[in-house]
């Protein structure tokens, strides 16, 4: 080929160029959607910060000793009603009592399965163990008292 003729590019470069061109066109049309600020709860924390507080309460009670896990699977936490509604209830398998009633004496939520427990408390907060064995939260009962804005967490490890 002479210097004035256009050469055919290899297929890999054409694929790369088209992907690059598509991304550029998408950015020109509207770009990436703007990130919105996370909404704050009544406590002034974001939903994710409240989830981390719950996860830290669980993680603080997990105690691994040599070959077994200690039976300290209970924690009491402060929990605002909106946190209970937005963090616990969507992941609950079963809810006993009216979760939206602030005058209810007690509301019990059952969370079953490691995946749902992980979504509620954070997947790294529900595990402990060693290289030989890892235990993970399997089931959790959240006994919520709306009048006190407190919750008792009871869970089993598997």
């Amino acid at each position: 080929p002479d210097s004035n003729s256009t050469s055919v590019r290899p297929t890999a470069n054409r694929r790369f160029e088209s992907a690059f061109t598509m991304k550029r066109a998408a950015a020109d049309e509207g770009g990436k959607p703007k990130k919105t600020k996370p909404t704050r709860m009544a406590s002034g924390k974001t939903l994710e910060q409240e989830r981390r507080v719950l996860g830290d309460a669980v993680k603080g009670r997990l105690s691994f000793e040599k070959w077994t896990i200690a039976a300290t699977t209970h924690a009491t936490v402060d929990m605002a009603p909106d946190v209970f509604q937005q963090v616990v209830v969507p992941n609950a398998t079963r809810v006993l009592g009216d979760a939206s009633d602030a005058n209810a004496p007690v509301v019990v939520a059952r969370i079953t399965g490691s995946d749902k427990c992980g979504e509620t408390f954070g997947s790294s907060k529900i595990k402990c163990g060693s290289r030989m064995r890892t235990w993970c939260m399997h089931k959790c009962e959240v006994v919520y008292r709306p009048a006190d804005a407190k919750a008792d967490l009871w869970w089993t490890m598997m």
Side-chain angles (χ1 to χ4, degrees):
D2 58 56
S3 61
N4 291 337
S5 67
T6 57
S7 62
V8 177
R9 293 184 178 173
T11 309
N13 288 343
R14 205 172 353 173
R15 266 193 237 133
F16 174 75
E17 184 178 42
S18 64
F20 177 75
T21 307
M22 289 171 52
K23 286 181 183 177
R24 176 180 272 172
D28 290 342
E29 289 174 3
K32 293 181 182 177
K34 292 184 178 180
K35 291 184 180 178
T36 58
K37 290 185 178 180
T39 56
R40 300 220 174 251
M41 309 301 278
S43 62
K45 297 177 183 173
T46 64
L47 188 64
E48 188 59 33
Q49 288 170 332
E50 291 288 354
R51 186 183 319 273
R52 287 181 184 152
V53 167
L54 290 175
D56 290 342
V58 169
K59 188 70 169 181
R61 299 296 295 166
L62 298 180
S63 175
F64 176 72
E65 307 240 351
K66 200 167 183 174
W67 297 104
T68 63
I69 185 167
T72 55
T73 56
H74 171 259
T76 302
V77 295
D78 295 325
M79 187 183 297
D82 53 347
V83 175
F84 181 74
Q85 283 288 338
Q86 294 181 19
V87 176
V88 176
V89 172
N91 295 312
T93 309
R94 185 173 179 195
V95 178
L96 299 174
D98 188 6
S100 62
D101 184 11
N103 297 324
V106 70
V107 179
V108 180
R110 174 179 290 165
I111 304 168
T112 307
S114 303
D115 54 341
K116 289 295 185 183
C117 291
E119 289 176 22
T120 306
F121 303 107
S123 59
S124 65
K125 305 290 184 173
I126 63 168
K127 297 176 184 174
C128 72
S130 69
R131 65 186 179 91
M132 300 298 211
R133 173 80 199 267
T134 301
W135 283 268
C136 188
M137 181 187 290
H138 175 66
K139 182 170 58 171
C140 180
E141 298 279 340
V142 180
V143 181
Y144 180 62
R145 299 183 305 274
D148 301 340
K150 292 197 179 289
D152 284 316
L153 309 173
W154 298 89
W155 64 89
T156 57
M157 303 291 285
M158 287 187 81

